[in-house]
Amino acid sequence: MKRKWMAMFLAMMLGAAALTGCGNGSGEDSQGQGKSESEQSDQENENIVVVADTQAPTSLDLAQSWDSWYTSRWGITETLYMLDENLEPYPWLAESCEMKDDTTWEITLRDDVTFQNGKKMTAESVKACWERTAGINARFNEVLYIDTMTADGQKLTVTTTKAVPAFLNGLCEPLTGIIDVNDGGDPAAMPIGTGPFQAVSYEVKSECVVEKYADYWGGEPKADGAVIHIIGDTSTLTMAQQNGESDISVSMPGASMELFTDNSQYNVDGVAGSRGQVIYFNYGNPVLQELSVRQAISMIIDKDSYASIINKDASVTTTGLYPDFMAYGAEEGDGYQYDLEGAQTILEEAGIVDRDGNGIREFHGEDISLRLVTYSTKAELPLFCNEISSSAKKIGLDIQVEVYESVTEHQKTGDFDLMMISSTMCPTGDAQYFADITLKSGGSGNYGGYSNEKVDELIEQLDVEYDTEQRTELAKEIQKEVLADAGYIVIGHAKYYYVMGANVQGLHTNPSEYYLLNKDVYVE
Amino acid sequence: MKKGKKRDYAFGILIVLIALLILIAVFAPILAPNDPYNTDLMAAQAGPSAQYPLGTDSLGRCMLSRVLYGARLSVFSSLLITGIVFCIGVTIGSLCGYFGGIVDAILNKVITIMQAFPQIILAIAITGIMGIGIRNTIIALCMVLWVDYARLSRSFVFSVKGRNFIKAAKICGESDLKIIFSRIIPNIIYPLIVNASLGIASTIMEIAALSYLGVGVEEPQAEWGAMINLGRNYIQTDLKMVLIPGVAIFVTAAVFNLFGEKLRDRLQ
Amino acid sequence: MVLHKIIMQLLHFVIVLLGISFLTFSILFLSPRNPAELWLAGSDGNVGMISEEAIAEQERIMGLDKPFLVQYGTWLGKALQGNFGISFTYNTPVTEEIAKHMGPTVWMTVISLTVTILLAVPLGVLCAVYKDQLLDNVMRIFSFFGISLPSFLTSIIFLWFFCIKMEWLPVISKGGAIGILLPSVVLILQFVAKLTRQVRAIILEQLEQPYVDGAITRGVKFKNILFGHVLKNSAAPILTCISIYVGLAFGGSAVIEGIFSVDGLGRMAVSSVARLDIYVIQGFVLWVAIVYLVVNLLVDILSAMIDPRIKYNRKSGGGS
C-alpha cells in the first residue's frame, strides 16, 4: 500500500517536472543547470560575477523612484561626478564643473564617453536625459534645483532656482545619472547607459542579467557579465553565499557575519556609511524639554556595545552626530560617554528623583513614562530600543518601546516621545542636508520640533557658504551646539559591506551605497 | 470497562497538563528567574548557567524567563482568538445553515466575501491600519479566522438538517433555537472542536508568520512566534534561540490537540 | 430551471466580487500610509525625507488626489472593460503582472494539493479505522510537528539540509521543476498534517453513527460499510475541508516563496501591500476570490452528486 503511494508521488513529481520544463523554454534552462555546469562554463570562457541582494528596483529606468541607485550599483548608469571613500565628489563623466555665479554652473563633459549603443555622450544628451528625469521624478528637482540648461558641444550651462552650494554632491546622486533617451528603446527594460555593463534582461524582483560593454570609455571591463539575484529572505541570502552560489552578497544580516570569518574562503569588506541610527526627542513633551533628562538618556547608551554586540559589528560607533570618518565628524571626547551613575547624578541634581519609591523618577509629581517609537524594517532598531528601555529602567526612567511597520504617520503627527529611525544623513557627502531638514527649526525632517537659535543661525551661514573649509568648520560648530543641548542622539552609523568569495577581485566597498560593479571586478 | 478507565486516565493527565500550562502562564512572574525584558549585553548568547538556566538570547535576555512569559502571551492570546472565532463562527454558521432564506443569503454573502478574501492580505492590511502589536494582531486574526468556523459549521448543519431526528424534533414542536443549540450543534460540534484544538497551535503559528512578515507581534514582546522569528537569523550559529520556543509551541500544540480528541471521545 | 440556476449563480459571483473589490479599496484607502510617498521613498526606508510638494505632485501623477468614490468608480469602470489598471511599482498592466507570477504558484498548488489529497485522505481514514493504534499515534506526532513548526522555519531547515548539508539542490531557485520541489514539499507537510486530522475526525464521527453499529449487528462486512456508507457520507465535509486548502494554496505563500526565491503570487502580493500598490493588490484579491468561488461551486456540485440530501437542503435553503 505504502509503496504504491510512493510510486504515485514520484510519478506526479516527474510528470510535473517534465511539463514545467517544457513550459519554460530554453532561456531559463541554460541558467537552470546545476552548480557544476555553471562552473564549467565559467572556466571555459565566461567570467560571470554572481551578486545577491535582498533589495531590488521596480524597473531599470533610473528616473523611477530610487531605481537609479540600482542601475548605478549594477554598473549600467553613471553620474557626472562620483563620491570617493570619504564621500568627497570627484569628476567622472564630467571633466570639470565651474561655478560662474551663485546660481550658474558650467559643466564640461569628457569627450570620450559613449553610450552602450555606441553614440557619443554630449551636453545635448545630458540635457535631454535630465529633462526627462525631472518630468518623471519630483525628487530630481530637490537635488539640483535646475532652472535652465543650455547645451553647446561638450559644455552644459546650468542655472539654478536658488544658491546650491552642494551642487557637485548633487551630481553624484544616481538619480542624476545619464542614459540615452533618444535611443527609442524602453529605458525601464533596456536602459542605454554609459557604464561598464549593459542590461540584458531584468525579471523584476527576481534576477537581472548584465553583460560587459566592451567599448566602455574607461577600458574593457574584466568580467564578461554579471547576474544579480534578488533574494527576499536573509537566511537564503546567507546560505547562497555559504555554498558558493553567489560571489558577492549585499545586505547580509549582522547575525550571519560569524559564518564568514574564514579568510581563506570569504572576504568581508565593509566601511561605515552615513546611514545613522538617530533618536529624535519630542520637544512638545515638558519632560523632554528638560536638558538633564535628555542628557541622562544620552548617557545610558553604550554605543560601543550596541555596535559590536547587538549589531555584530555591522555598524560603527558615532561620537557626535555626523559619522566620525567625515571631515566634519566629531572628535574623541565630544558627545556623551556611557555612564549610568553619571546619568543618575545629573537627574538627582536637577531634582528629578523618585519620591514615592516605586523605582521610577517623577517629574512634577508624575512618574516619567516615555514612548520610544521605531519601525521593524531595519532589524537593529527594535533591538537597540529594547536595550535603551532596559537601561533606562536602571536609572529610574520608564521607556516603553513601540514598534511599527512604518513611523511616517508618527512623524507627521508628532505622536511619540522618543523616536529612533535609520536615516541617510549625508546622502551626497554633504553636511548641509541633515542640518537643513533635521536640525533647523521647522525643517521638514525635524519631527520633534527641535529649535535652537544659535544652531539656526549657523545653518543659515552654512546654506550660503561655498568655501569647503569654512563649511566643515560650520558643520562642526553646529554639531557641537546640538550636542551641548543633547538635542539629538546618534548611536552609530551602519556599515555598508559586501560578503565576497575569496576569489572575487577588484571590489572595494564605498560608503555611499551608490556603487558596486565596476570595470575592475571579476572572479578568479 | 477496562478500556474506558484507561481513557479517563489519559484524559486526567491532559487536564493536569493544561492546568499546568495555564498555571505557568499565570504565575510566570513568580516562576521566572529573571526579568524577561532585562538585557545584559555582556552575557549575550551565553549557554546555560546558574543565573540563566537556559542561556540567553542575542540581547542577553534570559531564555527561560522569556519562554515562561511567552506562555502568557502565546497561550492566552491564541486561546482568546480561538475562543472568540469559535463562538462567533459556529453561531453564525449554524444560524445560516438552519434558517436558510434571506438570513442565510445575506450572511452567506458576507462569509463568502470574507472567505474569498486572501487572509494574509487582510491581516496585513488590518495591522497596517491599526499598527503592530499583540492587541491589533488578535483583532486582525479574529476578523480573519471566524469565517473558517462559520463555513465549516454551516456545511455541517446542512448535512445534519435533513436527518429524521431533526424532523422529529420539529414535528414535536421544539423551538428553532432549542433545535439549533440542543440538537444540531451537539451533532456537529466534534469535528469543530478537533479543528479548534488544532487551531490553538496554528493560531500561535499565524502570529509567528505575521511577525515574520514584520506585521505581527514585535520585539521585545516575549511571544513564542516572535522569539522564533528573532532566532531564525541565528539558526546556524545559535540554535537554542529557535529550539526553545519551538519546543514550547510543540508541547502546547500536542497537549491541546490530544485534549480536544479525548474531550470528543468523552462527549460521544 | 437550469438557466435560472446559472443566472443566480452568476449573480452571486458578481455580488461577491463587487463586495470584495469595494472592501479591498476601502481597506487600502484607510491605510495611514501614502502610496505616492512610498513610491518616492523607494525600498530603503527613506520615508519622511520627501517634501510635501513632491508627494502632492506624485499623487497627481498616480491619480490619488481624487476622492475615494471617484477613484473606485474609475477603476471599476475600467475593470469592467477588462482593464485592471497599471501597477504603480512596475508600471505594467496588472493582468500582465499577475500572469507573470502565476506560473510557479499554480504549479506548486497543483502538485502539493494532489499529493496532499492522495496522502491525507487515505491516511485519515486509516487513522480513524485503526484509532489509537500505531499508525494513528505516528500520524498524531507527525501532525504536531507539522502544526507547531512555522512554515518559515521548516523552509529554512529544508534549505539548509538539502542545499548546504547535502548539496543536492541549489539555494537560489532557478525556476522550473527543481525550483518548486522543496517549497511544494513544505506545503504538502503543512497540509497533510492538518488534513489528516480533519479527515480522521470526520470519519470517526461517521463510524460512531448508529447505522454503523446496526449494520455490523446485521452482519454486513466492515469493508462494505466503510466503502459503501461511511466514505460516501463523509465525502461532502471532506470536500469542504479540502476546498479551504485550495483557496489558501492558489494565493501563494509569501513566506515560503520568499525563502525559496520562487517568483510567485504570494511574494508579489505581500510586496504590493508593503508598497500599497493598490491595483495589483486588487487584481490579486480578485484572482483569489475567483478561484475560491469556482472551487466552491465545484464542491457544491460534487457534494450534491455524492449525497442527494444536500441537494434537497440546498433547494429548500433557497440561497446559493
Side-chain angles (χ1 to χ4, degrees):
Chain A
M1 188 77 173
K2 275 233 169 106
R3 205 171 290 167
K4 211 167 159 189
W5 289 120
M6 277 306 289
M8 276 180 85
F9 174 79
L10 284 175
M12 276 292 309
M13 285 299 192
L14 286 175
L19 281 167
T20 329
C22 294
N24 271 331
S26 53
E28 244 172 278
D29 272 0
S30 58
Q31 290 180 31
Q33 307 303 325
K35 206 177 140 196
S36 56
E37 195 147 320
S38 66
E39 272 174 6
Q40 206 175 13
S41 67
D42 281 358
Q43 280 164 6
E44 269 169 26
N45 43 25
E46 295 264 272
N47 193 313
I48 304 289
V49 182
V50 182
V51 180
D53 194 350
T54 54
Q55 302 198 319
T58 55
S59 80
L60 292 183
D61 182 355
L62 86 177
Q64 299 282 333
S65 193
W66 294 65
D67 294 356
S68 52
W69 285 40
Y70 299 92
T71 55
S72 170
R73 284 178 198 173
W74 299 346
I76 301 168
T77 61
E78 295 177 308
T79 42
L80 300 193
Y81 270 65
M82 275 176 83
L83 293 174
D84 66 11
E85 58 271 28
N86 297 317
L87 297 178
E88 309 272 354
Y90 63 97
W92 191 249
L93 294 180
E95 234 155 37
S96 66
C97 177
E98 264 179 76
M99 188 177 74
K100 291 294 170 192
D101 60 58
D102 274 9
T103 57
T104 313
W105 299 84
E106 191 181 275
I107 304 168
T108 311
L109 300 170
R110 290 185 71 99
D111 209 23
D112 55 353
V113 178
T114 58
F115 287 110
Q116 288 152 354
N117 56 9
K119 280 192 215 159
K120 186 176 168 187
M121 182 195 74
T122 62
E124 196 56 54
S125 42
V126 171
K127 182 179 172 221
C129 173
W130 281 357
E131 278 168 354
R132 175 180 177 274
T133 306
I136 294 175
N137 198 325
R139 194 164 59 88
F140 183 84
N141 303 319
E142 294 176 4
V143 176
L144 292 181
Y145 301 94
I146 291 179
D147 187 19
T148 64
M149 285 186 273
T150 324
D152 176 20
Q154 295 303 99
K155 268 200 174 38
L156 183 69
T157 312
V158 176
T159 62
T160 56
T161 52
K162 63 171 206 176
V164 190
F167 190 80
L168 287 189
N169 305 72
L171 291 179
C172 301
E173 157 68 55
L175 184 61
T176 66
I178 307 303
I179 57 167
D180 184 4
V181 291
N182 297 318
D183 182 67
D186 177 12
M190 228 35 111
I192 306 296
T194 59
F197 294 99
Q198 191 166 5
V200 174
S201 68
Y202 179 47
E203 278 293 320
V204 180
K205 308 234 160 172
S206 170
E207 182 186 85
C208 179
V209 180
V210 296
E211 65 181 14
K212 73 171 171 191
Y213 171 46
D215 294 326
Y216 178 59
W217 63 273
E220 189 179 334
K222 288 185 181 155
D224 293 304
V227 179
I228 299 103
H229 289 293
I230 318 306
I231 298 175
D233 186 89
T234 48
S235 312
T236 315
L237 186 81
T238 308
M239 292 191 222
Q241 182 72 48
Q242 276 180 297
N243 79 347
E245 276 174 54
S246 32
D247 298 315
I248 304 169
S249 299
V250 187
S251 335
M252 188 68 78
S256 298
M257 295 310 280
E258 60 185 284
L259 295 166
F260 301 108
T261 44
D262 180 358
N263 286 334
S264 65
Q265 262 188 299
Y266 306 108
N267 175 11
V268 179
D269 189 50
V271 292
S274 81
R275 188 180 278 283
Q277 298 110 16
V278 188
I279 299 177
Y280 292 69
F281 293 104
N282 191 337
Y283 289 86
N285 184 333
V287 177
L288 291 171
Q289 287 167 5
E290 286 294 310
L291 176 64
S292 59
V293 174
R294 298 199 302 271
Q295 283 177 330
I297 294 176
S298 303
M299 288 164 76
I300 60 172
I301 298 170
D302 183 5
K303 292 181 178 179
D304 289 334
S305 301
Y306 279 50
S308 64
I309 297 173
I310 303 180
N311 214 10
K312 306 270 176 202
D313 283 326
S315 60
V316 294
T317 306
T318 302
T319 314
L321 300 174
Y322 289 113
D324 288 0
F325 66 91
M326 299 295 291
Y328 42 86
E331 271 141 49
E332 189 137 350
D334 286 359
Y336 297 88
Q337 309 301 317
Y338 173 60
D339 181 3
L340 287 183
E341 271 170 35
Q344 303 205 44
T345 315
I346 286 181
L347 290 173
E348 298 286 336
E349 280 169 3
I352 299 175
V353 289
D354 176 20
R355 286 206 174 80
D356 59 8
N358 66 349
I360 304 296
R361 292 169 194 274
E362 293 101 46
F363 183 75
H364 292 319
E366 272 190 54
D367 281 352
I368 297 181
S369 178
L370 301 167
R371 293 164 57 231
L372 170 54
V373 169
T374 193
Y375 54 90
S376 53
T377 41
K378 290 273 166 200
E380 70 275 14
L381 298 184
L383 297 177
F384 282 5
C385 289
N386 291 335
E387 176 59 31
I388 289 176
S389 166
S390 173
S391 310
K393 218 175 194 176
K394 290 171 192 157
I395 64 158
L397 297 176
D398 178 37
I399 295 185
Q400 294 292 333
V401 181
E402 294 173 19
V403 185
Y404 297 90
E405 193 187 350
S406 144
V407 293
T408 324
E409 204 54 24
H410 300 83
Q411 292 175 338
K412 275 192 198 135
T413 57
D415 179 25
F416 64 92
D417 295 321
L418 300 161
M419 177 168 65
M420 190 191 293
I421 65 172
S422 161
S423 109
T424 312
M425 292 169 57
C426 341
T428 54
D430 192 79
Q432 190 186 332
Y433 174 77
F434 186 71
D436 269 348
I437 67 162
T438 314
L439 305 179
K440 201 172 175 178
S441 306
S444 65
N446 186 349
Y447 309 117
Y450 175 70
S451 182
N452 178 326
E453 270 178 38
K454 185 83 197 294
V455 171
D456 287 348
E457 212 172 279
L458 288 165
I459 294 174
E460 267 159 40
Q461 287 178 41
L462 181 70
D463 284 350
V464 291
E465 178 61 63
Y466 281 84
D467 180 70
T468 318
E469 253 168 64
Q470 279 301 314
R471 288 180 71 79
T472 304
E473 280 314 306
L474 278 168
K476 275 187 158 175
E477 192 86 0
I478 292 168
Q479 174 170 256
K480 207 176 236 167
E481 288 296 328
V482 177
L483 283 176
D485 216 6
Y488 282 88
I489 301 174
V490 178
I491 296 174
H493 281 87
K495 269 188 189 170
Y496 188 60
Y497 55 91
Y498 307 131
V499 176
M500 296 179 270
N503 54 355
V504 176
Q505 303 293 328
L507 183 59
H508 291 289
T509 316
N510 180 290
S512 70
E513 307 188 17
Y514 292 165
Y515 315 117
L516 173 65
L517 296 176
N518 59 44
K519 70 178 173 64
D520 295 320
V521 178
Y522 70 101
V523 179
E524 244 176 8
Chain B
M1 186 64 201
K2 201 181 166 192
K3 207 179 167 191
K5 224 177 181 178
K6 197 178 158 196
R7 216 180 263 170
D8 283 342
Y9 186 57
F11 192 68
I13 293 182
L14 284 167
I15 290 188
V16 170
L17 283 177
I18 288 192
L20 207 63
L21 255 175
I22 292 174
L23 283 177
I24 287 177
V26 172
F27 293 108
I30 297 168
L31 294 170
N34 295 293
D35 176 354
Y37 300 109
N38 186 46
T39 58
D40 182 357
L41 290 186
M42 293 309 136
Q45 285 180 319
S49 62
Q51 196 189 353
Y52 303 114
L54 288 177
T56 59
D57 70 2
S58 56
L59 281 182
R61 294 175 295 203
C62 173
M63 287 297 289
L64 177 64
S65 306
R66 286 181 73 71
V67 93
L68 289 175
Y69 269 81
R72 270 188 152 186
L73 271 176
S74 300
V75 175
F76 281 164
S77 54
S78 68
L79 273 175
L80 188 67
I81 293 171
T82 314
I84 293 174
V85 298
F86 186 85
C87 293
I88 297 178
V90 172
T91 308
I92 292 183
S94 309
L95 290 176
C96 259
Y98 183 78
F99 287 111
I102 187 83
V103 182
D104 182 43
I106 293 172
L107 282 176
N108 190 35
K109 289 278 181 296
V110 176
I111 293 179
T112 315
I113 288 175
M114 293 299 287
Q115 184 92 37
F117 206 101
Q119 298 193 345
I120 195 94
I121 299 290
L122 194 59
I124 294 177
I126 292 171
T127 48
I129 295 169
M130 301 194 303
I132 300 174
I134 185 76
R135 188 180 53 107
N136 294 341
T137 309
I138 290 176
I139 297 174
L141 283 177
C142 281
M143 287 173 81
V144 162
L145 293 175
W146 68 273
V147 272
D148 287 346
Y149 293 91
R151 189 178 175 221
L152 271 179
S153 46
R154 180 175 175 269
S155 82
F156 290 153
V157 171
F158 272 131
S159 69
V160 172
K161 208 170 115 182
R163 302 259 181 89
N164 288 332
F165 69 92
I166 304 288
K167 285 180 191 157
K170 268 188 188 166
I171 293 165
C172 293
E174 281 186 26
S175 73
D176 287 337
L177 280 183
K178 192 171 178 207
I179 294 179
I180 291 177
F181 285 101
S182 65
R183 307 256 171 217
I184 293 191
I185 291 187
N187 262 289
I188 60 166
I189 203 94
Y190 308 122
L192 289 169
I193 286 180
V194 176
N195 229 37
S197 66
L198 285 166
I200 288 170
S202 64
T203 305
I204 300 181
M205 289 304 91
E206 301 256 4
I207 299 174
L210 286 178
S211 302
Y212 172 85
L213 294 171
V215 292
V217 182
E218 266 298 331
E219 273 289 307
Q221 293 284 17
E223 194 273 331
W224 292 340
M227 285 168 74
I228 288 193
N229 192 32
L230 175 68
R232 88 195 147 87
N233 275 327
Y234 302 85
I235 197 162
Q236 290 189 63
T237 50
D238 193 4
L239 190 62
K240 73 168 185 298
M241 280 180 67
V242 290
L243 199 64
I244 292 171
V247 167
I249 294 174
F250 179 80
V251 171
T252 311
V255 168
F256 276 104
N257 188 246
L258 285 171
F259 175 74
E261 284 183 358
K262 295 294 170 200
L263 182 73
R264 174 186 173 281
D265 287 350
R266 274 176 75 91
L267 287 175
Q268 204 71 28
Chain C
M1 196 59 193
V2 176
L3 190 71
H4 174 76
K5 263 190 172 172
I6 293 175
I7 291 172
M8 286 308 286
Q9 194 62 54
L10 280 175
L11 201 66
H12 172 68
F13 273 29
V14 170
I15 293 173
V16 169
L17 290 179
L18 274 177
I20 285 178
S21 68
F22 188 76
L23 182 67
T24 317
F25 234 89
S26 338
I27 289 178
L28 297 177
F29 196 81
L30 282 174
S31 170
R33 297 177 309 148
N34 181 343
E37 186 172 9
L38 290 170
W39 187 90
L40 285 168
S43 55
D44 273 341
N46 298 293
V47 172
M49 297 286 175
I50 294 135
S51 72
E52 294 287 333
E53 297 83 59
I55 294 170
E57 172 65 14
Q58 194 59 41
E59 277 181 349
R60 199 188 53 74
I61 295 173
M62 288 176 163
L64 296 169
D65 50 344
K66 311 228 165 50
F68 170 69
L69 282 176
V70 175
Q71 283 184 45
Y72 179 67
T74 315
W75 174 83
L76 193 63
K78 284 186 185 158
L80 289 175
Q81 295 160 32
N83 175 2
F84 288 87
I86 305 278
S87 157
F88 295 152
T89 348
Y90 308 113
N91 234 337
T92 48
V94 166
T95 36
E96 223 172 83
E97 207 47 52
I98 289 178
K100 208 164 74 189
H101 293 90
M102 204 142 86
T105 301
V106 169
W107 268 112
M108 271 162 59
T109 306
V110 170
I111 293 174
S112 54
L113 279 179
T114 319
V115 178
T116 301
I117 293 168
L118 290 178
L119 284 175
V121 175
L123 279 172
V125 174
L126 287 174
C127 286
V129 173
Y130 300 105
K131 185 169 167 254
D132 290 334
Q133 293 181 24
L134 182 68
L135 177 72
D136 190 26
N137 286 328
V138 170
M139 282 309 296
R140 187 175 276 148
I141 293 177
F142 165 77
S143 290
F144 297 155
F145 267 110
I147 294 159
S148 43
L149 282 177
S151 56
F152 63 79
L153 203 59
T154 326
S155 304
I156 293 171
I157 293 169
F158 269 44
L159 200 64
W160 176 79
F161 184 77
F162 290 105
C163 308
I164 300 281
K165 189 92 179 134
M166 309 308 287
E167 295 195 17
W168 285 345
L169 294 164
V171 174
I172 306 172
S173 161
K174 304 284 166 61
I178 300 291
I180 57 173
L181 184 68
L182 283 181
S184 300
V185 175
V186 174
L187 279 177
I188 291 167
L189 287 182
Q190 229 182 6
F191 290 164
V192 168
K194 276 193 191 171
L195 188 59
T196 311
R197 303 308 288 166
Q198 287 168 332
V199 171
R200 178 182 175 277
I202 292 167
I203 299 280
L204 270 181
E205 211 243 321
Q206 281 295 323
L207 283 177
E208 279 151 14
Q209 296 290 333
Y211 76 85
V212 176
D213 278 343
I216 288 174
T217 3
R218 283 203 311 276
V220 183
K221 274 190 185 157
F222 181 69
K223 209 169 155 188
N224 292 345
I225 303 171
L226 184 67
F227 287 101
H229 301 278
V230 173
L231 283 186
K232 202 176 146 196
N233 288 339
S234 318
I238 291 180
L239 272 176
T240 308
C241 282
I242 291 173
S243 70
I244 291 174
Y245 296 99
V246 180
L248 271 181
F250 268 105
S253 158
V255 174
I256 295 175
E257 289 177 0
I259 291 172
F260 292 105
S261 41
V262 174
D263 198 15
L265 284 175
R267 240 172 120 188
M268 180 202 76
V270 169
S271 72
S272 303
V273 177
R275 299 190 57 110
L276 271 190
D277 197 338
I278 297 173
Y279 301 129
V280 177
I281 303 169
Q282 190 69 266
F284 170 77
V285 167
L286 287 179
W287 150 255
V288 174
I290 289 170
V291 167
Y292 172 83
L293 288 173
V294 171
V295 168
N296 239 16
L297 183 62
L298 288 177
V299 167
D300 280 354
I301 295 172
L302 278 174
S303 302
M305 277 163 62
I306 298 167
D307 189 347
R309 281 197 315 255
I310 292 172
K311 199 174 185 177
Y312 169 72
N313 281 324
R314 275 292 152 101
K315 218 190 248 167
S316 71
S320 53

